[in-house]
């Protein structure tokens, strides 16, 4: 009971490292960066810029039917109608034929998500975007480059999140990156809050230190047992404003990027080797990283698998009971998320995305995972 791995959660760096940290913009060069209060606010800002680049009366944004509901929050805030596209079968990628059919004169942007850290097929999606003069927005909330792979981004604009459980986490904040100076100028300008006070910095430091303590496998059972924290839940929250990232987080962003890029990939590689060696037939196991051709140097936020839908929930419970940090990600396609049913009821069905939601299971890859944990995961998967 008391040993519980979190599904994600590397510690937050709270002090400069021995080597001087570069300013945030230096890490993102040659991209220009604009910083916002959250990843959702950053995505809304990118959609607003896309609308300004293509002025139409009824703007639409295309996005995958299986995704974080924050994508809907951002689109609605920006005043664009979300248009959903199904996934390819047994894949985290959007269905290209359906994407091409739904892109049209009102499409101002296509949002392609790097789900789990796996890149979309940007060359193909870019061709579709170019046909309708739409901006390609890369949702990279779950993907951040390591030193082994310094430039992984391919969108016209790239949206990052520094929220809880993200690759580079500051419990909040986000950014929009672009090489296109004209697009950067179209992003909404936000006034920095007067937040550079000692009390606000201290509050953030205390929150971050508490977070670092609570992601310990020996303490994570405590926040996991508190229902008001809604850990692991997928909830729709309308976006209230597009505001600036606070200075306390911005000051710590460089050392957290550096710490992320220095972390080893031993856990991810060990899990990949374990999955590759398994007999997949018994539980209908699909290694999504493997079938998507993910390079070994590519960092994943979570290690994603598909298993038979008939046993997925039981297998998840076995992993959860063993404290192995498993996740089923989003419980359904976007039209099934509470709060979105009425908004998206005219869209669908999305059979491939629905099947994906019923089969997905992710394993943790963060630094808290031990070799003994990986062996236990192997036994649980083998027993089915």
């Amino acid at each position: 009971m008391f040993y519980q791995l979190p599904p994600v959660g590397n510690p937050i760096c709270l002090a400069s490292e021995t080597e001087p940290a570069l300013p945030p913009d230096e890490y993102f060069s040659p991209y220009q960066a604009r910083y916002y209060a959250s990843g959702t606010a950053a995505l809304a800002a990118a959609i607003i810029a896309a609308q300004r680049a293509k002025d139409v009366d009824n703007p639409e944004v295309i996005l995958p039917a299986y995704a974080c509901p924050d994508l809907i929050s951002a689109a609605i805030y920006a005043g664009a109608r979300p248009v959903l596209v199904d996934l390819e079968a047994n894949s985290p990628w959007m269905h290209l034929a359906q994407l091409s059919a739904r892109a049209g004169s009102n499409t101002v942007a296509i949002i392609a998500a790097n789900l789990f850290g796996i890149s979309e097929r940007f060359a193909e999606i870019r061709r579709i975007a170019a046909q309708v003069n739409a901006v390609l927005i890369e949702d990279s909330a779950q993907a951040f480059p390591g030193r082994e792979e310094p430039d992984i981004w391919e969108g016209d604009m790239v949206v990052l999140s520094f929220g809880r459980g993200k690759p580079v986490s500051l419990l909040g904040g986000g950014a929009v990156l672009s090489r296109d100076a004209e697009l950067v100028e179209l992003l909404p300008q936000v006034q920095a809050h007067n937040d550079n006070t000692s009390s606000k910095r201290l509050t953030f430091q205390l929150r971050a230190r508490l977070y670092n303590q609570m992601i310990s496998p020996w303490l994570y059972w405590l926040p996991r047992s508190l229902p008001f924290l809604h850990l692991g839940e997928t909830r729709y929250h309308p976006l209230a404003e597009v505001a600036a990232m606070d200075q306390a987080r911005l000051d710590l962003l460089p050392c957290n990027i550096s710490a992320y890029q220095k972390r080893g990939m031993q856990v991810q590689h060990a899990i990949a080797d374990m999955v590759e060696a398994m007999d997949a037939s018994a539980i209908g196991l699909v290694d999504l990283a493997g079938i998507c051709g993910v390079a070994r140097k590519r960092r994943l936020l979570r290690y994603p698998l598909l298993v038979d839908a008939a046993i997925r929930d039981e297998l998840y419970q076995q992993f959860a009971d063993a404290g192995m940090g498993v996740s089923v990600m989003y419980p359904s396609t976007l039209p099934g998320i509470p709060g979105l049913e009425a908004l998206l009821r005219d869209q669908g069905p999305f059979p491939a995305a629905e099947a994906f939601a019923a089969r997905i299971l992710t394993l943790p890859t963060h630094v808290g995972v031990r070799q003994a944990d990986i062996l236990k995961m192997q036994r649980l998967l083998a027993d089915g």
Side-chain angles (χ1 to χ4, degrees), residues 14-86:
L14 291 170
S16 297
E17 301 181 2
T18 52
E19 64 181 63
L22 298 171
D25 289 356
E26 291 293 324
Y27 279 98
F28 298 131
S29 180
Y31 295 91
Q32 296 183 53
R34 296 291 181 271
Y35 303 98
Y36 295 92
S38 68
T40 310
L43 180 56
I47 296 171
I48 290 170
Q51 289 179 235
R52 292 172 176 174
K54 181 181 178 180
D55 186 16
V56 295
D57 291 334
N58 299 297
E60 296 179 345
V61 175
I62 298 179
L63 58 142
Y66 181 84
C68 176
D70 288 347
L71 273 65
I72 302 294
S73 305
I76 297 302
Y77 179 91
R81 175 178 177 262
V83 175
L84 306 186
V85 169
D86 203 1

Side-chain angles (χ1 to χ4, degrees), residues 14 204-215 219:
L14 291 170
F204 170 67
Q205 289 267 343
L206 290 174
R207 284 186 61 206
R209 290 181 188 280
L210 180 61
Y211 171 82
N212 286 350
Q213 291 293 320
M214 290 297 103
I215 60 173
L219 290 176

Side-chain angles (χ1 to χ4, degrees), residues 13 64 72 119 122 153 157 177 241 246-247 249 287 294 335 356 368 377:
C13 171
I72 302 294
S119 283
F122 285 100
W153 294 312
M157 289 190 286
L177 313 179
E241 65 173 339
D246 60 277
Q247 193 62 44
R249 288 178 171 84
D287 178 2
V294 173
F356 189 91
M377 293 177 200

Side-chain angles (χ1 to χ4, degrees), residues 155-379:
D156 298 321
M157 289 190 286
V158 180
V159 175
L160 304 177
S161 172
F162 308 122
R164 185 179 68 192
K166 296 301 191 292
V168 176
S169 176
L170 291 166
L171 304 181
V176 181
L177 313 179
S178 183
R179 298 173 186 257
D180 188 329
E182 293 183 5
L183 281 177
V184 173
E185 289 302 312
L186 295 176
L187 289 166
Q189 301 295 315
V190 288
Q191 186 69 35
H193 296 302
N194 184 20
D195 58 9
N196 195 21
T197 63
S198 58
S199 62
K200 290 186 177 180
R201 286 177 174 274
L202 179 60
T203 298
F204 170 67
Q205 289 267 343
L206 290 174
R207 284 186 61 206
R209 290 181 188 280
L210 180 61
Y211 171 82
N212 286 350
Q213 291 293 320
M214 290 297 103
I215 60 173
S216 163
W218 298 106
L219 290 176
Y220 184 69
W221 64 270
L222 180 57
R224 191 170 178 265
S225 66
L226 301 175
F228 61 85
L229 292 178
H230 306 293
L231 293 182
E233 292 185 18
T234 299
R235 301 161 67 88
Y236 171 65
H237 299 284
L239 180 64
E241 65 173 339
V242 171
M245 186 172 171
D246 60 277
Q247 193 62 44
R249 288 178 171 84
L250 194 57
D251 288 346
L252 286 173
L253 180 57
C255 77
N256 278 275
I257 292 174
S258 179
Y260 169 80
Q261 293 183 331
K262 287 181 177 178
R263 290 190 185 107
M265 299 180 65
Q266 294 91 338
V267 171
Q268 180 178 319
H269 291 162
I271 291 176
D273 293 342
M274 177 264 287
V275 171
E276 184 180 3
M278 290 195 62
D279 176 11
S281 59
I283 58 173
L285 185 68
V286 175
D287 178 2
L288 287 175
I291 66 169
C292 292
V294 173
R296 195 167 175 87
K297 63 184 179 181
R298 181 63 181 265
R299 293 173 180 248
L300 299 177
L301 180 62
R302 309 165 187 251
Y303 203 92
L305 307 171
L306 297 181
V307 298
D308 283 343
I311 66 165
R312 196 279 303 270
D313 290 347
E314 180 182 354
L315 190 57
Y316 165 78
Q317 195 58 55
Q318 291 173 0
F319 268 82
D321 291 344
M324 287 297 99
V326 71
S327 169
V328 295
M329 288 295 291
Y330 314 127
S332 70
T333 58
L334 286 169
I337 301 295
L340 292 178
E341 303 96 332
L343 181 65
L344 302 174
R345 64 174 172 235
D346 62 332
Q347 301 198 36
F350 304 105
E354 290 161 6
F356 189 91
R359 296 186 62 195
I360 187 66
L361 200 69
T362 74
L363 306 179
T365 60
H366 54 76
V367 296
V369 179
R370 308 169 305 172
Q371 182 61 32
D373 299 322
I374 298 173
L375 292 174
K376 187 178 289 187
M377 293 177 200
Q378 183 179 27
R379 288 195 297 271

